[in-house]
């Protein structure tokens, strides 16, 4: 259920208090915390800004809190013992955010997932605080599967919790967990990374007056942080290697005029492909998802795949009419959760075929 802005803010205010020094804190970079996504560790702190970055931990005791700073305001999904535990926000400098309290005895598992994208700010986790009798347990195991998604607002979950297509976007209505990438990863029981930013294209960003933009996804692809070119992400030392890469770009390039030429678009898109091949080698299949049939990006991406500019390249496209123009749309006419589920349904067979993972008879949610 989508919380109203007032309900969210009430929850946030109740769960955030000024930090104070106490013994018993454990650094955010403790090995018992499993981070998934691009992060930077400085001392005992862990920083990140890409949409969908998350951590998981196991602990005992009646409560868990995190000491955190944020350059702006970000919203996070909480899952406790496999159940939705609400939404919290990170903002300000060195605050204590209560993630769980009033718990019973025994082991608990918590997951905190960044639902907003990089332009909403960079989060730095400093330390975790447990109840007096609590302790961190060994980190939850990796599922052994990983999908990397590269994209734009569709991948970020822009407006997925909006009530209608006419509702203006607010950060509170952005939820990557209800976007196709997280839905696909959840279906296959896989970890994921989202290298995505709303409005960005391969060659041209939304609304640019030039045919080629600065700071496109081709430029951001090897960033540790979405909003900063430095430091570069160290692919060699990366804690994860994707089993498959899914690229969904091209709609912003041609959404408004002037359009990039075939040559300009192909050069930028090919640059993305070669960056990925240089980083990961030829093993992970790359699935290129083109916008709808009839749009220039469809033809250009299809031809790039046919030319096999890199190895292990595959093509599919979003078909017209995959979602309706009313109940499947959220804020600013972007797909809501229903529309995003339909998009995930289109892609799951391709991911299954390319990875060999079974397409099980189970809900897609």
């Amino acid at each position: 259920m989508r919380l109203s802005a007032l309900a969210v803010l009430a929850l946030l205010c109740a769960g955030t208090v000024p930090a104070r020094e106490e013994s018993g804190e454990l650094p955010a970079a403790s090995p018992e915390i499993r981070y998934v996504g691009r992060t930077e560790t400085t001392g005992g702190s862990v920083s990140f800004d890409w949409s969908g970055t998350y951590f998981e931990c196991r602990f005992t005791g009646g409560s868990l809190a995190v000491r955190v700073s944020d350059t702006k305001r970000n919203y996070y999904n909480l899952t406790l013992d496999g159940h939705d535990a609400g939404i919290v926000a990170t903002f300000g400098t060195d605050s204590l955010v209560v993630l769980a309290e009033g718990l019973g005895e025994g082991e608990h598992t918590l997951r905190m997932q960044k639902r907003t994208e990089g332009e909403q700010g960079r989060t730095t986790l400093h330390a975790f605080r447990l109840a007096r009798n609590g302790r961190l347990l060994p980190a939850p195991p990796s599922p052994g599967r990983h999908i990397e998604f590269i994209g734009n607002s569709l991948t970020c979950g822009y407006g997925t919790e909006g009530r209608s297509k006419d509702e203006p976007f607010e950060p509170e209505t952005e939820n990557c967990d209800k976007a196709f990438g997280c839905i696909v990863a959840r279906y296959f029981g896989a970890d994921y990374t989202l290298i995505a930013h709303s409005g960005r294209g391969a060659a041209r960003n939304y609304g640019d007056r030039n045919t080629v933009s600065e700071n496109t996804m081709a430029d951001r692809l090897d960033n540790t942080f979405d909003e900063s070119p430095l430091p570069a992400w160290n692919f060699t030392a990366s804690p994860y290697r994707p089993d498959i890469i899914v690229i969904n770009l091209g709609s912003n390039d041609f959404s408004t005029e002037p359009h990039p030429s075939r040559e300009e678009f192909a050069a930028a898109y090919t640059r993305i492909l070669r960056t990925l091949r240089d980083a990961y080698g030829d093993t992970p299949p790359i699935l290129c998802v083109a916008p709808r049939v009839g749009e220039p990006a469809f033809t250009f991406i299809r031809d790039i795949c046919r030319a096999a500019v890199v190895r292990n390249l595959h093509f599919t496209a979003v078909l017209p009419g995959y979602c309706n123009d009313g109940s499947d749309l959220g804020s600013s006419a972007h797909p809501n959760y229903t529309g995003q589920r339909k998009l995930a349904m289109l892609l799951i067979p391709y991911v299954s075929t390319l990875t060999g993972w079974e397409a099980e008879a189970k809900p897609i949610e």
Side-chain angles (χ1 to χ4, degrees):
M1 178 182 297
R2 177 181 180 271
L3 295 176
S4 69
L6 289 178
V8 170
L9 290 175
L11 176 62
L12 304 179
C13 292
T16 306
V17 297
R20 61 185 184 276
E21 292 298 325
E22 284 186 7
S23 60
E25 287 192 342
L26 296 171
S30 296
E32 294 85 357
I33 311 295
R34 190 174 85 91
Y35 292 91
V36 181
R38 296 187 181 181
T39 63
E40 181 184 53
T41 300
T42 305
S45 298
V46 179
S47 300
F48 49 85
D49 72 346
W50 285 106
S51 177
T53 305
Y54 59 98
F55 74 80
E56 296 177 331
C57 66
R58 298 165 56 235
F59 66 98
T60 62
S63 64
L64 179 68
V66 62
R67 194 156 53 79
V68 58
S69 300
D70 207 298
T71 59
K72 294 182 182 178
R73 177 188 290 267
N74 277 285
Y75 295 92
Y76 284 82
N77 295 315
L78 289 182
T79 304
L80 180 65
D81 297 334
H83 300 286
D84 179 14
I87 302 167
V88 296
T90 55
F91 55 92
T93 302
D94 204 5
S95 295
L96 188 70
V97 178
V98 177
L99 304 179
E101 58 184 343
L103 304 180
E105 296 182 359
E107 175 186 327
H108 302 284
T109 301
L110 184 136
R111 171 172 165 156
M112 179 172 169
Q113 174 201 42
K114 190 173 188 285
R115 51 185 275 153
T116 40
E117 57 189 288
E119 67 180 14
Q120 304 304 329
R122 180 186 301 184
T123 304
T124 299
L125 306 182
H126 302 295
F128 289 91
R129 185 178 299 173
L130 293 96
R132 287 179 180 270
N133 62 339
R135 62 189 180 93
L136 287 177
L137 303 174
S142 165
R145 294 177 172 181
H146 196 111
I147 308 175
E148 183 150 277
F149 295 91
I150 298 166
N152 49 37
S153 56
L154 291 181
T155 308
C156 292
Y158 184 101
T160 51
E161 295 189 350
R163 293 185 177 90
S164 75
K165 67 178 183 179
D166 300 318
E167 177 181 296
F169 171 78
E170 295 179 356
E172 293 90 337
T173 65
E174 184 170 53
N175 186 358
C176 67
D177 199 53
K178 293 184 177 179
F180 76 92
C182 288
I183 296 170
V184 170
R186 194 155 45 243
Y187 174 85
F188 287 108
D191 279 335
Y192 68 85
T193 42
L194 307 181
I195 308 303
H197 191 111
S198 295
R200 295 301 189 268
R204 176 182 176 272
N205 297 328
Y206 177 83
D208 199 328
R209 288 181 283 184
N210 301 309
T211 57
V212 176
S213 300
E214 296 180 358
N215 211 5
T216 64
M217 287 311 299
D219 301 306
R220 292 171 180 253
L221 189 60
D222 57 0
N223 290 0
T224 296
F225 299 106
D226 178 14
E227 290 287 88
S228 175
L230 295 174
W233 179 243
N234 188 336
F235 288 96
T236 302
S238 171
Y240 68 88
R241 177 184 173 85
D243 297 284
I244 184 171
I245 301 165
V246 180
I247 303 175
N248 185 9
L249 291 171
S251 56
N252 286 314
D253 297 80
F254 300 97
S255 56
T256 58
E257 294 186 346
H259 294 168
S261 67
R262 175 187 286 268
E263 293 73 21
E264 289 170 332
F265 181 82
Y269 201 94
T270 300
R271 179 182 159 202
I272 290 173
L273 297 174
R274 287 178 175 158
T275 297
L276 293 170
R277 282 289 167 248
D278 289 344
Y280 298 125
D282 296 336
T283 302
I286 299 176
L287 177 61
C288 300
V289 183
R292 292 176 296 181
V293 178
E295 296 185 5
F298 172 88
T299 302
F300 296 168
I301 296 173
R302 180 200 62 192
D303 293 348
I304 289 169
C305 292
R306 284 179 175 176
V309 296
V310 300
R311 294 181 180 179
N312 208 356
L313 197 58
H314 306 270
F315 174 78
T316 189
V318 177
L319 299 177
Y322 82 91
C323 70
N324 66 47
D325 193 41
S327 61
D328 288 345
L329 299 181
S331 306
S332 300
H334 281 66
N336 58 20
Y337 177 48
T338 303
Q340 291 276 5
R341 285 181 61 243
K342 290 182 177 181
L343 180 54
M345 291 177 193
L346 293 175
L347 299 180
I348 282 172
Y350 291 92
V351 174
S352 174
T353 298
L354 293 174
T355 60
W357 300 339
E358 182 181 356
E360 299 180 48
K362 65 179 184 180
I364 299 171
E365 55 189 12

